[in-house]
Amino acid sequence: MSVVVIVGAQWGDEGKGKIVDYLTRKARVVARYQGGHNAGHTVVINDEKYVLHLVPSGILHKDTLCIIGNGVVVEPAALIEEISGLKKRGIKVGDNLLISKSAHLIMPYHIALDQASEKAMGKKSIGTTGRGIGPTYVDKMGRSGMRVGDLLAPEVFLERLKANLVHVNFLLKNLYRAPVFKPEKVLSEYMGYAKVLRKHIADTDILVNSAIKEKTNVLLEGAQGTLLDIDHGTYPFVTSSSAIAGGACTGLGIGPTKIDKVLGIVKAYTTRVGSGPFPTELHDKTGELIREKGGEFGATTGRARRCGWLDTVILRHSARVNGLSGIVLTKLDILDGMDTIRICNSYKYKGRTITEMPKELSVLEKCVPVYEEVSGWKESTLGITEFRKLPKQAQAYIRHIEELIGVKTAIVSTGQKRDELIQLREPF
């Protein structure tokens, strides 16, 4: 029995969905611990693409229990739409999907506040998806949030809603000059959602802990990456929740002593979406080539991702704050055909060499990457399933990354499809 956490080791979009799907074969429970429908996990099965936003990637295995934990924020309409889409494609979604009573609800006014705030900030905007994620977490921490369990108690729901709208409507009307919300209309809308979701709502913390006690394999998945973590990311250009491995404990209600392994998903290069510092970002033809070849466009928003060389400074930071016990290297095949590949292993800042990621945004923004060049490879790595069959230069690239960040590789992904990977170590 093992409890394994899957965490993004960069700025997200590292390919966590495929890896969770692959490892689910040996897991009885897959639980999502943070984020909202601002993230998208893509899984390709027999040339069919599945994009998941709130539902854990394990849903593609019919005998797996999938849990949306208390650390996730849930937009009911988006979740219902996702469930409906999966059912239309023949995927079982019934008692195998459960939502924590303690997960917070994204309300329509959260979306309005998110979009109005971003618009008001202009060029200083964070670059959110505008889906209400941040304002929902603000209410959660401000102790005025609406929770999934409130859907089961209409009187309580309406009372709390009315209290919230006093403040919210004042802001929308007077600060943002935006339309206000009527409590009765919102109540009617959300009680409609309650009828559909009622059968999925449960005390999920009890179920996760029971599965662990029964000594079954449990897989815990995050949404965004480490560098978007509210505490350990490139603040303030981050998400609003704990995306690191520690977030799995608070986001699901399990103790840290229950976790056995933490796998960091590492893309063979680096990408990020939205605003914020990105030392190795490429603004040239190489960056465009990586973007086009890697299909680097958001699964949720379609936004083009910013692309750059692999940055092991941020990966050492990620290894430390997550306590990584292994990495999964993804999208190796995107680097096929390059004569040379660059790896950043330090920064230059005001004449000084920096080997650890600065916490200060003002410093990180001015850091210049220091690169070392390694040999590329001309052969294709697409679909290779044995390490020894990789080009020698590709093998050397992987081993060098291990040396630079001090973490061994467990899996190498060599393509989009479910079985296009090399397993070097057994995670469970």
Side-chain angles (χ1 to χ4, degrees), residues 383-395:
I384 290 177
T385 56
E386 294 180 53
F387 190 80
R388 63 182 179 83
K389 292 184 178 180
L390 287 173
K392 295 299 182 185
Q393 298 91 332
Q395 294 182 32

Side-chain angles (χ1 to χ4, degrees), residues 30-95:
V30 177
R32 165 90 174 270
Y33 64 84
Q34 56 82 218
H37 66 309
N38 56 338
H41 290 170
T42 302
V43 180
V44 178
I45 304 171
N46 298 327
D47 295 322
E48 277 200 70
K49 183 183 288 188
Y50 297 85
V51 180
L52 302 159
H53 301 282
L54 278 167
V55 179
S57 304
I59 201 70
L60 301 175
H61 298 256
K62 63 180 181 179
D63 296 323
T64 302
L65 175 61
C66 293
I67 288 174
I68 297 174
N70 57 274
V72 179
V73 291
V74 178
E75 206 284 281
L79 178 56
I80 291 169
E81 182 181 357
E82 188 172 341
I83 290 171
S84 176
L86 287 167
K87 285 181 175 179
K88 287 178 181 177
R89 299 182 69 177
I91 304 299
K92 176 192 172 184
V93 187
D95 57 6

Side-chain angles (χ1 to χ4, degrees), residues 193-271:
Y193 300 146
K195 291 178 182 178
V196 179
L197 296 177
R198 180 181 299 272
K199 62 185 177 182
H200 297 288
I201 300 171
D203 291 314
T204 57
D205 59 313
I206 296 173
L207 294 169
V208 175
N209 278 283
S210 294
I212 295 171
K213 190 175 181 180
E214 291 167 10
K215 300 190 182 302
T216 59
N217 288 333
V218 177
L219 199 56
L220 314 179
E221 67 167 354
Q224 288 82 14
T226 298
L227 276 296
L228 291 179
D229 182 89
I230 187 67
D231 290 300
H232 300 285
T234 49
Y235 189 89
F237 298 98
V238 292
T239 194
S240 303
S241 57
S242 297
I244 64 168
C249 296
T250 55
L252 290 166
I254 64 172
T257 55
K258 305 298 183 184
I259 294 174
D260 297 294
K261 291 183 181 178
V262 180
L263 290 183
I265 314 302
V266 176
K267 197 177 284 187
Y269 45 96
T270 311
T271 64

Side-chain angles (χ1 to χ4, degrees), residues 321-339:
V321 299
N322 286 298
L324 295 184
S325 46
I327 65 168
V328 177
L329 191 70
T330 65
K331 292 204 167 185
L332 181 70
D333 56 297
I334 305 305
L335 299 181
D336 291 353
M338 292 189 173
D339 293 319

Side-chain angles (χ1 to χ4, degrees), residues 1-6 19-30 216-220 260-261 263 410-411 423 425-428:
M1 182 281 293
S2 293
V3 178
V4 178
V5 181
I6 299 294
I19 303 307
V20 171
D21 170 69
Y22 174 74
L23 294 178
T24 297
R25 301 178 193 199
K26 294 187 177 181
R28 180 184 153 195
V29 177
V30 177
T216 59
N217 288 333
V218 177
L219 199 56
L220 314 179
D260 297 294
K261 291 183 181 178
L263 290 183
I411 297 172
Q423 183 169 313
R425 288 173 176 79
E426 173 55 61
F428 285 114

